[in-house]
């Protein structure tokens, strides 16, 4: 345990204890492998950044050589767990009062002596320069504050999907996260520190300070201190949150007795800030004066930002700086001001990781030789604190953040991620069907489901590593961590952006990986694949005996039936003879799909596959061979990494080779390059079409893909149910959750068969069918 003590007593009136005890592995994680440091020191908070290499276990599959005598006849492939090294970025935020103790801790645990320089930015970098150099033995290299801020902002907007949000004080969810536009430029950044800087950002390295004001956060703090005798910024905001500005401000109705209709001014508008103080013969409360001052400063900044946004034709305006810093009072007043001056045409946008921007930018400046921007990065939910609510009314304990440490971790992804080129409008694409942040009933249901399933996940994790005696201990640590995440999300559903079933699943996968359970379902998938393969030829032969129209329906039923049973060989016989819910299905476009198949073949179909075993082998592969037989090229996209029992790209490569050995249609497809297997770039049971492997996007373009098929509840129901594509699409799934089925108007095992044609394509087809 590490005890961090304050180095000064300047805030002796503060209610927090003078010391704090924290486990070091929960704060400065993986410090022994740290290689590069950066620091951003503001007036009250320090943000530390460092890069580390992380060793973790990954599950690999390798095909047996079945021609060799020693190869086991009952196994298709072997599974091995190997060590892999990946890159991780760590960002830690804490009060300046703890800086010396934190530097001592870093010095004592820093193993890598190759690091000679620490990049520094922020107003406090000069003040603490000597301390940093003395404690760490590193040379402080100061970087331009605004450059670091912009670089950090670009980085989070590019790599964290739910980074930006609008603040809605009186809504069910105070944070409403926005879809980040694929092209993040241009935008306006309004940085409110002591003063205000308004910066137009046009590209990664091109930005310009186009305006500003001396009336900013320092003005609020300074005048507030004079008016209220309150010296602490947070306490001043606390006063403002309780005040009534109408006691101090002169309103339009105070002058005209009501609204001023000819000018479009309502009676409740502020006509003069502090206007009543000149004529009223009374004392004003500290709370009311603080609130009036906050409105005056915020309205001034808001109008200034709107004028610059309009002048430069910019619709995206982000606000940051210590004046904002997640404070609901300032976010609300800025939001109100922007809405008023733009008549709702521009939204005030705030950033989930606004406090880290300078540290991120300083780190990136120091890491330019490694070119971190050539990679995609993803937030590691297992090691990140998440966004905390700082609303004094909802969560009073969280206003006293002194002594707490916030963390953000970003993992470098193996694949560079981009949008699917076939999204109709990438800027408005929302992967998830239900936003649990805003739907309280759905949130409570799914949190309960994931808590109830936790024991089963722990047992499966332990069972996947029978030869490792410490597996049970690690599994218990996983249980504790994931349960804590679920409890956090129950109280702060906005912690990691919009809360969805996808994010709950991804958080669980991150926590499993954290404790070295890379693929708990690996042996189940192996067994299921081995058994299903034995039935492949029989399934294909039975299909070939059917008439063309009967076969099309049987193929669809095969995909749907295979998708019902996620694992377990016992279900195999049931699947082969099973009868799905009879048509009409809950969503039923089968007749339109059949009619389309009577026309010319598609040029290329992109198929996002789902489960191992029965699903991929007896459901998807017969469907794929039919497409190939029609003359359609097929791209099979599978997960890059494991998630639940979903088939991975490594497993699919082996399965497809084995199927090709017994099926000339599949074999010819591979030989003639008409059947291609590509990684999706995902390690999730769900599917985000805005974060796909760049290679997959390139293949989609080159093959002129005109059909996208998405199967499974995670990919086609929890996500992408409403996704609009610029080509034909087919979404197939069986709803295996009774609550979700009821929500969608069906019942357990209801079928969704959703064939969609974009409007312009439908018009073209209609024109072709119309006789001249």
């Amino acid at each position: 345990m590490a005890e961090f003590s304050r180095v000064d007593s300047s805030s002796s009136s503060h209610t927090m204890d003078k010391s704090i005890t924290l486990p070091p592995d929960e704060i400065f994680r993986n410090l022994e492998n740290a290689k590069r440091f950066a620091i951003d020191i503001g007036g009250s908070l320090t943000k530390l950044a460092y890069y580390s290499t992380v060793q973790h276990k990954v599950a690999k599959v390798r095909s047996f050589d079945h021609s060799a005598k020693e190869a086991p006849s009952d196994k298709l492939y072997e599974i091995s767990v190997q060590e892999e090294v990946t890159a991780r970025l760590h960002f830690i935020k804490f009060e300046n009062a703890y800086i010396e103790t934190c530097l001592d801790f870093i010095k004592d645990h820093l193993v890598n002596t190759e690091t000679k320089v620490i990049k520094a930015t922020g107003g406090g970098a000069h003040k603490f320069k000597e301390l940093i150099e003395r404690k760490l033995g590193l040379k402080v290299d100061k970087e331009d504050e605004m450059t670091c801020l912009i670089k950090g902002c670009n980085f989070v907007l590019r790599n964290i999907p739910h980074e930006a949000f609008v603040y809605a004080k009186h809504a069910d969810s105070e944070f409403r996260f926005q879809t980040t536009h694929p092209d993040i430029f241009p935008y306006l950044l309004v940085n409110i520190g002591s003063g205000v800087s308004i910066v137009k950002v046009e590209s990664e390295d091109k930005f310009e300070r186009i305006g500003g004001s001396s009336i900013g956060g320092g003005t609020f703090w300074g005048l507030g201190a004079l008016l209220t005798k309150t010296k602490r910024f947070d306490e001043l905001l606390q006063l403002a949150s309780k005040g009534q500005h109408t006691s101090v401000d002169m309103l339009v109705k105070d002058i005209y007795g009501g609204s001023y209709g000819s000018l479009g001014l309502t009676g409740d508008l502020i006509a003069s800030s502090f206007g009543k103080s000149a004529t009223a013969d009374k004392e004003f409360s500290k709370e009311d004066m603080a609130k009036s001052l906050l409105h005056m400063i915020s309205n001034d900044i808001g109008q200034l930002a709107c004028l610059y946004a309009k002048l430069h034709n910019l619709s995206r305006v982000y606000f940051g700086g210590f004046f904002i810093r997640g404070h609901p009072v300032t976010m609300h007043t800025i939001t109100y001001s922007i809405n008023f001056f733009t008549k709702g045409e521009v939204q005030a946008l705030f950033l989930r990781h606004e406090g880290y921007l300078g540290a991120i930018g300083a780190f990136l400046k120091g890491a330019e030789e490694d070119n971190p921007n050539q990679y995609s990065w993803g937030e590691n939910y297992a090691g990140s604190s998440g966004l905390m609510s700082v609303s004094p009314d909802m969560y009073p304990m969280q206003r006293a953040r002194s002594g707490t440490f916030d963390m953000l971790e970003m993992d470098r992804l193996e694949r560079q991620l981009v949008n699917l080129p076939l999204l109709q409008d990438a800027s408005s694409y929302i992967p998830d069907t239900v936003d649990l942040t805003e739907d309280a009933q759905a949130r409570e249901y799914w949190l309960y489901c994931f808590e109830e399933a936790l024991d089963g996940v722990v047992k499966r994790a332990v069972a996947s590593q029978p030869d490792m005696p410490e597996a049970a201990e690690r599994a218990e640590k996983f249980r504790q961590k994931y349960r804590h995440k679920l409890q956090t999300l129950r109280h702060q559903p906005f912690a990691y952006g919009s809360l969805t079933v996808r994010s709950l699943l991804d958080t669980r996968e991150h926590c499993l990986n954290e404790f070295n359970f890379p693929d708990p379902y690996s042996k189940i998938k192996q067994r299921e694949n081995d058994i299903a393969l034995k039935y492949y030829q029989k399934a294909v032969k039975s299909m070939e005996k059917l008439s063309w129209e009967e076969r099309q329906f049987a193929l669809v039923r095969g995909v749907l039936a295979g998708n019902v049973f996620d694992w377990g060989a016992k279900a195999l016989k049931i699947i082969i003879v099973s009868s799905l819910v009879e048509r009409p299905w809950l969503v039923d476009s089968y007749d339109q799909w059949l009619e389309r198949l009577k026309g010319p073949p598609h040029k290329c179909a992109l198929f996002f596959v789902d489960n191992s075993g029965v699903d991929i082998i007896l459901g998807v592969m017969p469907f794929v061979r039919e497409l190939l037989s029609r003359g359609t090229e097929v791209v099979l996209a599978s997960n890059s990494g494991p998630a639940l029992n979903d088939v991975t790209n490594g497993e699919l490569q082996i399965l497809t080779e084995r199927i090709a050995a017994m099926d000339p249609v599949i074999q010819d497809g591979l030989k003639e390059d008409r059947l291609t297997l590509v990684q999706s770039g995902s390690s999730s049971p769900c599917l985000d079409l805005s974060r796909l492997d760049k290679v997959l996007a390139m293949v989609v373009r080159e093959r002129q893909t005109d059909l996208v098929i998405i199967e499974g509840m995670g990919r086609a129901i929890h996500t992408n149910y409403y996704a609009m594509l610029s080509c034909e699409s087919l979404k197939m799934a069986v709803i295996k959750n009774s609550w979700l089925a009821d929500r969608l108007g069906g019942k357990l095992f209801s079928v969704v068969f959703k064939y969609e044609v974009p409007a312009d394509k439908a018009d073209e087809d209609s024109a072709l069918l119309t006789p001249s």
Side-chain angles (χ1 to χ4, degrees), residues 379-384 450 478 481-486 489 496 499-514 683-685:
E379 184 174 3
N380 174 31
Y381 298 144
S384 298
F450 278 88
F478 153 75
K481 184 147 204 168
Y482 188 58
R483 178 172 285 149
H484 174 70
K485 294 289 180 186
L486 292 175
L489 290 167
Y496 301 108
L499 181 64
T500 62
V501 173
R502 174 169 62 101
S503 67
L504 288 169
L505 287 164
D506 290 350
T507 302
R508 189 169 69 184
E509 293 297 322
H510 291 186
C511 291
L512 282 167
N513 282 316
E514 191 74 15
S683 298
S684 170

Side-chain angles (χ1 to χ4, degrees), residues 191 193-198 209 211-217 219 300-301 304 308:
N191 191 53
S194 298
V196 180
S197 286
I198 299 176
R209 186 184 188 275
S213 172
S214 61
I215 301 173
T219 313
D300 184 65
I301 295 170
L304 202 59
Y308 277 106

Side-chain angles (χ1 to χ4, degrees), residues 162 177 381 430-439 442-443 446-447 450 482 486 489 492-508 684 686-688 714 717-719:
H162 290 156
F177 294 93
Y381 298 144
I430 298 174
D432 305 285
T433 304
V434 180
D435 186 347
L436 306 182
T437 319
E438 298 186 0
D439 190 329
R443 177 170 69 247
W446 285 109
L447 286 171
F450 278 88
Y482 188 58
L486 292 175
L489 290 167
Q492 294 156 195
F494 40 74
Y496 301 108
S498 291
L499 181 64
T500 62
V501 173
R502 174 169 62 101
S503 67
L504 288 169
L505 287 164
D506 290 350
T507 302
R508 189 169 69 184
S684 170
C686 298
L687 180 63
D688 182 352
I717 303 292
H718 287 311
T719 52

Side-chain angles (χ1 to χ4, degrees), residues 174-202:
E174 45 183 330
F175 303 95
R176 290 182 176 172
F177 294 93
Q178 306 296 295
T179 302
T180 302
H181 196 283
D183 184 4
I184 64 173
F185 306 110
Y187 65 85
L188 200 67
L189 179 63
V190 183
N191 191 53
I192 314 171
S194 298
V196 180
S197 286
I198 299 176
V199 185
K200 179 183 180 182
V201 185
E202 297 184 76

Side-chain angles (χ1 to χ4, degrees), residues 418-421 678 692-705:
V418 298
N419 282 293
L420 177 70
V678 185
L692 295 177
D693 190 340
K694 189 175 182 179
V695 174
L696 174 58
M698 182 179 67
V699 170
V700 165
R701 285 195 188 93
E702 289 175 350
R703 301 290 174 106
Q704 299 177 37
T705 302

Side-chain angles (χ1 to χ4, degrees), residues 467-481:
D467 301 327
M468 296 184 180
E470 83 290 351
E473 183 182 346
R474 284 187 284 113
E476 188 56 37
K477 289 180 179 178
F478 153 75
R479 182 208 302 273
Q480 293 171 8
K481 184 147 204 168

Side-chain angles (χ1 to χ4, degrees), residues 335-570:
T335 298
Y336 178 86
S337 175
I338 293 293
N339 285 341
F340 175 78
F341 288 116
T342 68
K343 295 181 172 59
E345 292 180 5
V346 175
Q347 288 183 315
L349 296 170
F350 306 96
L351 300 172
R352 189 155 65 91
H353 298 103
E354 181 272 328
Y356 294 106
L357 300 187
I360 293 172
F363 173 84
L364 293 173
K365 286 288 288 182
E368 285 178 340
E369 62 192 61
D370 296 331
N371 194 12
N373 280 328
Q374 72 178 318
Y375 304 102
S376 290
W377 299 78
E379 184 174 3
N380 174 31
Y381 298 144
S384 298
S385 309
L387 180 68
M388 304 290 185
S389 172
V390 289
S391 171
D393 299 324
M394 293 177 66
Y395 307 104
M397 287 304 293
Q398 291 178 9
R399 280 305 318 137
R401 297 297 299 279
S402 178
T404 63
F405 285 63
D406 288 346
M407 289 84 72
L408 165 65
E409 289 185 355
M410 301 284 289
D411 285 339
R412 191 176 76 190
L413 306 179
E414 290 183 19
R415 327 291 296 182
Q416 191 171 358
L417 305 182
V418 298
N419 282 293
L420 177 70
L422 298 172
L423 284 172
Q424 197 169 88
D425 179 12
S427 63
S428 63
Y429 167 69
I430 298 174
D432 305 285
T433 304
V434 180
D435 186 347
L436 306 182
T437 319
E438 298 186 0
D439 190 329
Q441 183 187 13
R443 177 170 69 247
E444 190 54 40
Y445 172 79
W446 285 109
L447 286 171
Y448 171 79
C449 282
F450 278 88
E451 284 178 347
E452 284 291 294
L454 193 49
D455 286 345
V457 176
V458 169
K459 288 178 184 176
R460 197 169 297 283
V462 174
S464 70
Q465 299 180 358
D467 301 327
M468 296 184 180
E470 83 290 351
E473 183 182 346
R474 284 187 284 113
E476 188 56 37
K477 289 180 179 178
F478 153 75
R479 182 208 302 273
Q480 293 171 8
K481 184 147 204 168
Y482 188 58
R483 178 172 285 149
H484 174 70
K485 294 289 180 186
L486 292 175
Q487 289 168 352
T488 298
L489 290 167
R490 177 167 271 112
H491 297 294
Q492 294 156 195
F494 40 74
Y496 301 108
S498 291
L499 181 64
T500 62
V501 173
R502 174 169 62 101
S503 67
L504 288 169
L505 287 164
D506 290 350
T507 302
R508 189 169 69 184
E509 293 297 322
H510 291 186
C511 291
L512 282 167
N513 282 316
E514 191 74 15
F515 295 101
N516 281 322
F517 293 106
D519 193 357
Y521 290 83
S522 56
K523 288 182 170 57
I524 294 173
K525 291 189 290 181
Q526 182 187 43
R527 183 172 65 248
E528 189 180 333
N529 287 331
D530 287 337
I531 296 174
L533 270 171
K534 296 173 183 177
Y535 292 89
Y536 177 78
Q537 286 178 303
K538 182 179 178 181
V540 168
K541 286 178 181 176
S542 66
M543 293 286 183
E544 289 177 337
K545 292 177 182 177
L546 301 174
S547 67
W548 180 85
E549 194 157 319
E550 289 174 330
R551 187 166 70 250
Q552 304 316 307
F553 188 59
L555 288 166
V556 166
R557 286 170 62 89
V559 173
L560 293 168
N563 192 248
V564 171
F565 297 92
D566 280 347
W567 58 80
K570 291 180 180 177

